[in-house]
Amino acid sequence: MKISDILSGEKLTMSFEVFPPKADTAIESVKSATEEIARLKPAFMSVTYGAGGGTSKYTLNIAKNIKDSYGVPTVAHLTCVSSARETVCRQIQDMKDAGIENVLALRGDLTPELENSDRSGLDFSHAIDLIREIKECGADFCIGGACYPEVHPESKNQNEDIKYLKEKVDAGCSFLTTQMFFDNNLLYNFLYKIREAGITVPIIPGIMPITNANQVERAIKLSGSFMPQRFKNLVDKFGYSPEAMKQAGIVYATDQIIDLYANGIKNVHVYSMNKPDVAKKILENLSEILD
Ligand code: FAD
């Protein structure tokens, strides 16, 4: 099933993101976690892709397994910045052969290693190049892209970021998933601006439940997200106890999600980080809302 069809419905829905194992030894534990999340029957699940290609072979296997064994539609992430055209074309063909219908087309992060390496054999600079390549291959995928309510860290300013975002959507994106954010007003401001810029595709807000104090620093570093004082207070007070922090983080994420639904958002994507207990608890908290 295509994500565009799911998003065109009237129902409020929730989807989850999972990630592939970083090493062969973790295959079984990741498989079992992703299957447990699939059994919760989310609207769809997305499977991330290692920028350096390290976990790429697993992305497809996990996405196919969730779709075929549990009937949950999947989105396979694909990055391009560290790949040659030939590799990307092979990956697109493998996705077609596996019956994958949805791709999140990403550039991938420019690691210092990548920036300092010889990039002469690499063919893609931005996600838009990958979207064009997918279209050229004639694959009938529903293509999504990433967007940044708080501006991509490499962008000069928000106007420039939104200008490139519009070009990316016009190249063939049917939906956009946002970077995590912890203050919904940032999302609402972003929505005003992109609608004004003529971007009309559905936007899926991405919510990251912070369930342990160590995650906070990592999440901010990764995303550059603004941490509201309300959230900092919660980490200060409950960060000492893993169980208390987990409970508080799930409630904070649930509160953000309820506010998004109350303000007209129909699908929320939860960065469930391969944690079925967190995904389950959030769904339980919303059981009467997502009937
Ligand atoms: P782009 O759309 O290419 O944008 C990157 C920067 O370049 C922005 O500043 C943009 O304004 C600018 N830009 C865009 N087009 C042009 C142009 N034509 N000319 C000049 N500048 C331009 N990373 C992974 O490695 N694996 C994953 O699975 C993964 N999943 C993600 C899922 C989501 C929802 C999000 C938000 C991010 C994800 N990432 C993932 C991280 C992502 O790869 C990084 O954020 C990366 O730095 C940018 O990717 P992009 O696709 O948004 O890039």
Side-chain angles (χ1 to χ4, degrees):
M1 186 171 198
K2 296 214 162 134
I3 301 306
S4 47
D5 292 330
I6 296 172
L7 299 176
S8 66
E10 282 309 309
K11 263 181 78 162
L12 300 183
T13 57
M14 176 164 293
S15 49
F16 292 119
E17 181 176 292
V18 293
F19 57 82
K22 291 191 175 58
D24 286 354
T25 47
I27 294 176
E28 280 312 312
S29 63
V30 169
K31 185 167 180 277
S32 129
T34 56
E35 289 183 349
E36 230 181 293
I37 293 174
R39 279 195 282 271
L40 299 171
K41 294 284 170 207
F44 67 88
M45 286 169 70
S46 74
V47 188
T48 66
Y49 185 94
T55 58
S56 56
K57 64 179 170 175
Y58 301 121
T59 299
L60 194 55
N61 292 348
I62 294 172
K64 183 170 162 48
N65 179 44
I66 294 167
K67 173 178 71 65
D68 293 349
S69 309
Y70 296 89
V72 175
T74 50
V75 181
H77 293 202
L78 182 61
T79 65
C80 60
V81 73
S82 58
S83 306
R85 175 162 286 112
E86 199 191 343
T87 313
V88 165
C89 286
R90 206 179 41 244
Q91 277 153 344
I92 294 169
Q93 188 56 46
D94 288 348
M95 284 184 183
K96 277 205 238 176
D97 294 345
I100 300 292
E101 293 182 87
N102 308 288
V103 180
L104 196 75
L106 298 144
R107 186 194 69 180
D109 275 322
L110 287 176
T111 58
E113 244 173 32
L114 203 57
E115 278 190 282
N116 297 329
S117 64
D118 172 19
R119 304 193 62 226
S120 51
L122 305 177
D123 296 303
F124 305 93
S125 302
H126 293 100
I128 190 171
D129 306 325
L130 176 59
I131 293 165
R132 289 180 178 140
E133 187 66 35
I134 296 171
K135 292 273 172 195
E136 249 174 56
C137 289
D140 181 27
F141 290 120
C142 171
I143 305 172
C147 64
Y148 303 83
E150 296 176 71
V151 186
H152 187 275
E154 288 163 36
S155 290
K156 266 202 278 186
N157 54 53
Q158 193 166 45
N159 285 347
E160 186 192 84
D161 207 22
I162 291 178
K163 181 183 95 131
Y164 287 127
L165 186 62
K166 170 86 166 74
E167 285 178 12
K168 184 159 83 173
V169 170
D170 291 346
C173 273
S174 302
F175 67 96
L176 295 167
T177 306
T178 78
Q179 179 60 284
M180 66 182 86
F181 56 90
F182 300 92
D183 176 349
N184 287 1
N185 287 328
L186 294 165
L187 189 269
Y188 301 139
N189 290 343
F190 175 68
L191 287 179
Y192 274 126
K193 288 182 182 170
I194 61 168
R195 296 307 184 211
E196 199 182 14
I199 297 173
T200 56
V201 294
I203 309 296
I204 310 179
I207 296 296
M208 169 76 90
I210 299 283
T211 53
N212 71 67
N214 300 335
Q215 220 184 325
V216 177
E217 216 170 292
R218 239 188 359 249
I220 298 176
K221 198 166 162 221
L222 192 78
S223 63
S225 303
F226 164 71
M227 280 284 163
Q229 190 59 43
R230 192 172 148 251
F231 189 80
K232 287 186 196 154
N233 292 344
L234 187 146
V235 179
D236 286 348
K237 182 77 180 169
F238 305 115
Y240 75 96
S241 153
E243 287 312 312
M245 187 59 226
K246 190 171 174 180
Q247 195 167 48
I250 288 173
V251 169
Y252 189 93
T254 305
D255 184 49
Q256 263 194 289
I257 295 168
I258 291 175
D259 181 70
L260 290 168
Y261 287 143
N263 281 285
I265 299 290
K266 286 194 293 189
N267 188 276
V268 176
H269 197 56
V270 174
Y271 296 117
S272 54
M273 305 290 290
N274 296 5
K275 292 179 185 156
D277 55 334
V278 174
K280 188 163 179 258
K281 192 76 203 161
I282 291 179
L283 280 177
E284 277 171 11
N285 288 348
L286 297 163
S287 59
E288 298 300 321
I289 291 171
L290 294 172
D291 56 350

